[in-house]
Amino acid sequence: MSGARKAVVSVPATSANVGVGYDCLGIALDLRATFTFEESDGLVIDGCLEKFRGEDNLAWTSYLEACRRMYREPRPMHLTIDSPIPLSGGLGSSSTCVVAGVVAAQLLNGDGFDPQAALNVATFLEGHPDNVAPAIMGGLVSSFSDGRDTRSLRFDVADGISFVAIAPPYEVRTADARKVMPESVSTETCVWQVGHAVATVQALQSGDCDLLAAACQDRLHEPFRARLIPDYEPLRRTALAAGAAAFLISGSGSTMLAVCDGDEGARRVANAVNNMVENHIDGLWVRVLGCSPKGVTFEV
Ligand SMILES: Nc1ncnc2c1ncn2[C@@H]1O[C@H](COP(=O)(O)OP(=O)(O)OP(=O)(O)O)[C@@H](O)[C@H]1O
Ligand SMILES: N[C@@H](CCO)C(=O)O
């Protein structure tokens, strides 16, 4: 197709919940997926697993929904996905698809990038804002939503904070991890979560790892979800013994996130989990990552 318009959209991986901020807090990480949308005579999807190449591809369906909401006629696309994000879950791979589709629709079929509109549609499509908001805005983001409008507050993460993402070689599906949540919680648990969530945001902003260690103690979802990750306990023990300030289930798992004081500390934790002898895990995916101050970026 000559003169075909093209958008290349780059979206960071994200770690949702940050322990005590269930469905509210999320951090953008410096690991990015790239989606190339190019006008074409028919739908073609490549670069991803065969099972994601159909009309139900999440980036494509998100593109269609964003066009529908803008009252614009979608055009067929050749979509190429280049993603290093593990499919075991927990690093916001679905949000990269949703955000890429929505932003590509705004760029190619709408009036240009509109971050607030993207946030509202992406939250609707993903069901909660804690991955899509940092994927759009970068940094550490706290959000709330009334189902129509999402309000998101962005904070910088201190330079000294490093993360170790640890993905075991098995998947935990978000839908399954949401089913194990308690239907109701006590006032005591609510009070615990609110106080600890505010302190977690402050600790990450200031780089205060002692405060982070005390603040990052979730009682709402992690105690129930840890059971879905057979290697959770040995990995947690090993990461904390190697000096991690906090150890979290990233999103709904199975990926876990160790939060560390500096890159050197993070490398020590990465080595320790990679070299576990007694509970060695074949096929463990481990990366030292920083926070990405940038959210979605694009070229048209
Ligand atoms: N590279 C990819 N290509 C196409 N589709 C993808 C790709 N990566 C993820 N997806 C889509 O996202 C879905 C995974 O979503 P899921 O919520 O289970 O994991 P996650 O977003 O990584 O985890 P979390 O929300 O806990 O961070 C896949 O089933 C697929 O539909
Ligand atoms: N807040 C979500 C993130 C995963 O999509 C959850 O924990 O279920």
Side-chain angles (χ1 to χ4, degrees), residues 14 48 52 57-58 81 83 86-87 89-95 97 126 131 171-174 250-253:
T14 47
C48 57
F52 297 135
N57 176 282
L58 190 54
I81 301 177
S83 177
L87 288 167
L91 287 175
S93 66
S94 55
S95 289
C97 297
E126 182 75 356
N131 288 109
E171 187 184 358
V172 170
R173 296 169 67 98
T174 300
S250 185
S252 57

Side-chain angles (χ1 to χ4, degrees), residues 141-295:
V141 181
S142 177
S143 305
F144 59 90
S145 179
D146 62 9
R148 219 169 59 97
D149 288 313
T150 300
R151 304 286 293 263
S152 293
L153 306 177
R154 185 194 174 288
F155 306 91
D156 284 321
V157 169
D159 284 342
I161 298 283
S162 292
F163 303 93
V164 185
I166 305 161
Y170 44 82
E171 187 184 358
V172 170
R173 296 169 67 98
T174 300
D176 295 335
R178 292 181 85 83
K179 277 188 204 140
V180 303
M181 296 284 297
E183 274 180 22
S184 59
V185 294
S186 65
T187 307
E188 195 187 344
T189 301
C190 295
V191 172
W192 175 277
Q193 296 293 130
V194 173
H196 285 69
V198 173
T200 293
V201 171
Q202 167 65 18
L204 287 168
Q205 273 188 283
S206 63
D208 182 342
C209 282
D210 289 337
L211 177 61
L212 189 70
C216 249
Q217 304 287 341
D218 175 74
R219 288 187 175 176
L220 184 58
H221 64 112
E222 291 193 348
F224 308 97
R225 289 173 157 186
R227 296 176 207 144
L228 303 178
I229 307 171
D231 298 297
Y232 172 84
E233 204 40 57
L235 285 167
R236 178 176 171 278
R237 263 199 320 271
T238 304
L240 293 177
F247 187 83
L248 320 167
I249 296 177
S250 185
S252 57
S254 62
T255 302
M256 290 149 277
L257 196 71
V259 191
C260 303
D261 195 356
D263 253 14
E264 210 179 304
R267 278 194 293 273
R268 239 189 340 266
V269 169
N271 280 338
V273 295
N274 265 326
N275 295 318
M276 291 194 310
V277 177
E278 198 181 331
N279 296 289
H280 182 77
I281 304 159
D282 280 331
L284 196 64
W285 181 98
V286 181
R287 293 286 183 287
V288 173
L289 299 170
C291 171
S292 170
K294 272 203 177 129

